[in-house]
Amino acid sequence: MSLLSTQCSTRLLAFALPFLSVSTHAWATESTNVTLLNHNVQLQYKDAVRLDQVLSDALQQDALQQQANTFDAGYRLFDNSKQDDVDDLYTDVIQRLKKLSEDESHSVAAEQLLQQVQSHQYRYRIITSLDIDSVRLDLAQNPKMPGNYLLKLSARPSSVHLAGLITPKSIAFSSFYDVAGYLEQGKLSNEANQSFAWVIAPNGQTTKVGTAYWNNQHSRVIPGSIIFVGFNSNDSELADLEQDIISLLTMVKS
């Protein structure tokens, strides 16, 4: 089995850093434009403004619309200028899954993952704290933002989602469940990893956790998380494909 190159994901992750660390005098002459996906309203600033200003204005729009989008762990900020990188990664993953589906031993798993990946829209997400209080207290988390962005605020979700090589479903959030407890409510595929799963938190952070009787880490999840089950294989190409799918899932638009 020969899969396509996985260079896209490495490049994609590297691009998140300049947003947090770079600030130049030249930015003062650039504007900031942010489309609020909750309201289809655009915030326009003549000069580049800092992240806390954008968050404050977005929350004011929520107040005007009498919405309570206060679950900052689920806020999503997307950079329009880097969308090509997400599109390239998506195309690469789709091509590799289609090629994998031609392998009889992996065809069922590949088709299952292909259907899930194609069910979402993806944008280049900036993985950073969007808690307005934390942002205001730390200049490193409060950069100026020249350019064009999308921002989606979130109310507290009520469910956790199963994805990957398990029956995809949403399960009502319960503080009594750990990761293994959620997985027990789904049906694993034949090729699914029986011992580990990935937790994709609403803020885009990912963690691999043990879920079997011998390595159960009893990890809790917060509402809105995705629990992704990957391949039960040591094949490096399948592992790379799994990582790229997870990268995409951190960048789901909605």
Side-chain angles (χ1 to χ4, degrees):
M1 178 183 64
S2 176
L3 301 179
L4 297 179
S5 168
T6 61
Q7 294 298 315
C8 294
S9 60
T10 302
R11 183 174 66 251
L12 193 66
L13 294 176
F15 279 148
L17 297 178
F19 175 83
L20 298 178
S21 59
V22 177
S23 177
T24 67
H25 177 70
W27 282 9
T29 62
E30 297 187 38
S31 62
T32 299
N33 297 285
V34 182
T35 299
L36 304 181
L37 296 176
N38 302 74
H39 312 297
N40 196 27
V41 169
Q42 188 173 68
L43 303 177
Q44 297 180 315
Y45 307 89
K46 181 179 179 181
D47 300 312
V49 297
R50 294 192 180 275
L51 178 57
D52 70 321
Q53 181 68 62
V54 172
L55 291 171
S56 176
D57 292 342
L59 290 169
Q60 285 187 22
Q61 284 293 323
D62 268 7
L64 290 173
Q65 300 294 330
Q66 297 184 330
Q67 295 187 9
N69 292 312
T70 57
F71 187 69
D72 56 79
Y75 292 179
R76 295 168 184 260
L77 178 64
F78 305 99
D79 186 344
N80 287 340
S81 70
K82 297 174 181 175
Q83 183 59 31
D84 286 348
D85 298 285
V86 182
D87 293 340
D88 289 346
L89 178 61
Y90 174 78
T91 299
D92 187 44
V93 166
I94 294 298
Q95 289 176 344
R96 288 150 65 197
L97 284 172
K98 287 181 177 180
K99 187 172 183 62
L100 186 64
S101 69
E102 298 171 0
D103 184 331
E104 186 175 346
S105 61
H106 297 300
S107 60
V108 174
E111 289 293 341
Q112 183 175 354
L113 292 172
L114 187 62
Q115 184 177 12
Q116 292 179 46
V117 170
Q118 290 179 318
S119 69
H120 299 292
Q121 292 183 325
Y122 305 95
R123 306 290 300 192
Y124 186 101
R125 185 179 182 184
I126 299 170
I127 306 297
T128 185
S129 173
L130 296 175
D131 175 349
I132 190 169
D133 293 326
S134 297
V135 168
R136 284 171 170 166
L137 291 172
D138 185 356
L139 188 60
Q141 296 186 66
N142 192 20
K144 287 189 175 181
M145 298 173 56
N148 296 289
Y149 302 86
L150 303 175
L151 176 63
K152 183 176 179 65
L153 304 187
S154 175
R156 187 180 186 274
S158 60
S159 59
V160 170
H161 311 283
L162 301 184
L165 299 180
I166 190 171
T167 307
K169 64 188 300 186
S170 295
I171 300 171
F173 171 78
S174 172
S175 59
F176 295 103
Y177 291 146
D178 58 9
V179 174
Y182 283 107
L183 292 177
E184 288 175 357
Q185 301 181 61
K187 182 178 180 180
L188 293 172
S189 303
N190 291 335
E191 290 189 63
N193 194 319
Q194 305 282 330
S195 301
F196 292 93
W198 289 92
V199 176
I200 305 170
N203 64 4
Q205 296 182 354
T206 61
T207 308
K208 188 175 184 179
V209 300
T211 58
Y213 73 91
W214 59 271
N215 70 340
N216 193 338
Q217 295 175 255
H218 300 286
S219 299
R220 304 287 173 176
V221 300
I222 62 175
S225 296
I226 298 172
I227 300 175
F228 180 91
V229 181
F231 291 96
N232 183 29
S233 173
N234 293 322
D235 185 286
S236 61
E237 291 182 326
L238 289 179
D240 288 342
L241 176 59
E242 184 175 308
Q243 283 287 332
D244 286 345
I245 293 172
I246 292 168
S247 292
L248 281 176
L249 290 177
T250 67
M251 295 180 286
V252 172
K253 181 180 177 182
S254 58

